[in-house]
Amino acid sequence: MIEYIERVLDAPHPRWELYRVIAEPVRLRLLALAAEEELAIGELANLLGESQPNVSRHLTPLKQAGLVLVRRHGTRTFVRIAEAATADVVVADALASGRALCDKDGSLGRIAGVLAERDRVGREFFAQQTDGARDPVADAADATSAYVAALAKLLPDRKLAIDAGTGDGGLLDVLAPAFDRVVAIDRSDAQLERARARVSQRGYSNVQFVKTDLSAPAFRKRVGHGADVVFASRILHHAPRPLDLMRQLAALARRRTHGRAAGAVVVLDYARHDDESMRSNADLWLGFEPGELLRLARKAGLVHPEVTRLPAAWCGHGKDAHLPWQVLVARRQDDG
């Protein structure tokens, strides 16, 4: 808000400049779309039926006026409304007009399709058995599970863990020895098949597999009062809307009851990086700044969030071992 006010007050003719900027219908539509969802310039161009250079040209005065915020994410540029600017009654009127135009041309309704397209890339990638992928049961289990099982006896609140987006089940080698019960979920039959093979080879008897989306009401009922810990290992960067995923994770953690602390959410993901080749793995986001993770956690209703950068030596030997890894730990807010 302060930045917006200073920008307006420093302008030589603030109101006149503002009226000039929002007088163009394309900019009104841009404002309305950016207020609905943070969108890439290419996505905005498709929604508006405009070229990307033309969209960029119209965004420049909107950005200069403090009406939109623009950020680069790798080679992509994302645009969202500057929330502080919407407090201005003129801007609020402009947004209403823009929404009316977008309702009329259908672009507002097509945003759902844009988000579905983001999701489709990930679904198709993980639904395939990648040729040449290492067989998860080819290597014999080492002593890690025994070490975890011994350490787990010192930890409280380990009745139930949820492994959100279990993939090939790599995290189950840690969770299954530590928790009384583990629910591993994924949307892909191919990934669940690999995870089941791993569990079968390891001999874990306390892991339940569920094919579902995190947001499915039936799944939430299935986990009862919620999990002691909800884990999400390297899935946040695949999420079309990371905040939605964080909220879904938070909803699966149990509330504080009978003197027991509220459930925890543990998110392992990449710190910001510039390796565009990871997009071939359906990565929508090239990692996250620590501040972004903290902001997502708080907006999702989590409390006491902490982000820790992990040493490179802990990041395995996979195709993402060269990336910076970090972990977020937070707890569900006590909502009474």
Side-chain angles (χ1 to χ4, degrees):
M1 182 67 175
I2 293 175
E3 179 184 353
Y4 174 71
I5 292 173
E6 289 178 345
R7 189 191 300 272
V8 171
L9 291 179
D10 289 341
H13 304 289
R15 307 311 291 174
W16 180 87
E17 286 292 337
L18 181 60
Y19 296 144
R20 181 186 63 81
V21 168
I22 61 177
E24 167 59 53
V26 172
R27 293 176 195 155
L28 291 175
R29 294 160 68 202
L30 276 172
L31 270 181
L33 295 175
E36 191 72 16
E37 182 69 41
E38 185 179 42
L39 297 164
I41 287 180
E43 292 170 338
L44 286 167
N46 288 335
L47 287 169
L48 294 172
E50 301 279 347
S51 67
Q52 290 193 36
N54 198 38
V55 169
S56 297
R57 180 175 65 82
H58 282 292
L59 282 173
T60 297
L62 292 174
K63 179 183 176 182
Q64 291 173 343
L67 302 182
V68 297
L69 300 176
V70 178
R71 69 181 180 105
R72 292 189 63 81
H73 200 92
T75 58
R76 305 178 79 190
T77 299
F78 286 84
V79 182
R80 69 178 188 273
I81 194 76
E83 293 183 10
T86 60
D88 188 298
V89 293
V90 174
V91 177
D93 285 344
L95 274 174
S97 297
R99 287 193 183 97
L101 291 173
C102 290
D103 275 331
K104 184 176 181 179
D105 65 23
S107 57
L108 205 61
R110 291 196 297 273
I111 290 179
V114 169
L115 298 176
E117 176 60 21
R118 291 182 187 177
D119 199 31
R120 181 193 63 79
V121 175
R123 284 179 180 271
E124 290 185 356
F125 179 82
F126 289 107
Q128 299 173 6
Q129 283 278 16
T130 306
D131 293 338
R134 191 187 73 176
D135 185 349
V137 303
D139 299 328
D142 58 19
T144 300
S145 296
Y147 299 151
V148 172
L151 179 62
K153 301 302 180 182
L154 303 175
L155 304 177
D157 299 330
R158 52 188 185 85
K159 292 185 179 298
L160 172 63
I162 293 177
D163 184 10
T166 190
D168 66 4
L171 188 59
L172 298 177
D173 284 334
V174 175
L175 301 185
F179 288 84
D180 296 342
R181 177 181 169 223
V182 180
V183 177
I185 69 174
D186 209 290
R187 303 183 304 188
S188 166
D189 285 323
Q191 295 290 348
L192 287 172
E193 181 179 350
R194 297 174 69 194
R196 286 192 181 95
R198 177 189 293 272
V199 165
S200 176
Q201 194 273 341
R202 300 292 198 259
Y204 303 137
S205 59
N206 60 335
V207 178
Q208 175 187 9
F209 292 97
V210 181
K211 181 186 177 184
T212 187
D213 282 312
L214 288 175
S215 59
F219 176 70
R220 294 191 182 184
K221 290 182 180 179
R222 196 167 189 169
V223 298
H225 296 296
D228 295 295
V229 188
V230 181
F231 291 85
S233 179
R234 291 175 290 170
I235 66 171
L236 192 65
H237 59 269
H238 294 299
R241 300 180 74 175
L243 177 57
D244 283 356
L245 177 57
M246 193 73 77
R247 284 172 171 157
Q248 291 161 8
L249 296 172
L252 293 174
R254 62 172 171 75
R255 296 179 173 88
R256 183 174 65 86
T257 55
H258 301 103
R260 297 172 66 196
V265 172
V266 178
V267 176
L268 177 67
D269 217 288
Y270 309 134
R272 278 294 301 271
H273 63 88
D274 296 312
D275 188 354
E276 288 284 338
S277 69
M278 296 303 293
R279 295 200 189 279
S280 64
N281 299 325
D283 289 19
L284 290 173
W285 312 103
L286 301 182
F288 304 88
E289 295 289 352
E292 289 181 272
L293 285 183
L294 293 173
R295 185 170 60 254
L296 288 171
R298 293 187 181 107
K299 285 188 174 182
L302 296 170
V303 295
H304 311 305
E306 295 184 9
V307 175
T308 304
R309 181 73 170 264
L310 302 182
W314 297 1
C315 300
H317 304 285
K319 54 192 173 185
D320 58 356
H322 65 290
L323 299 178
W325 291 21
Q326 60 190 345
V327 61
L328 164 78
V329 179
R331 287 196 175 270
R332 178 167 179 165
Q333 187 171 17
D334 181 16
D335 50 12

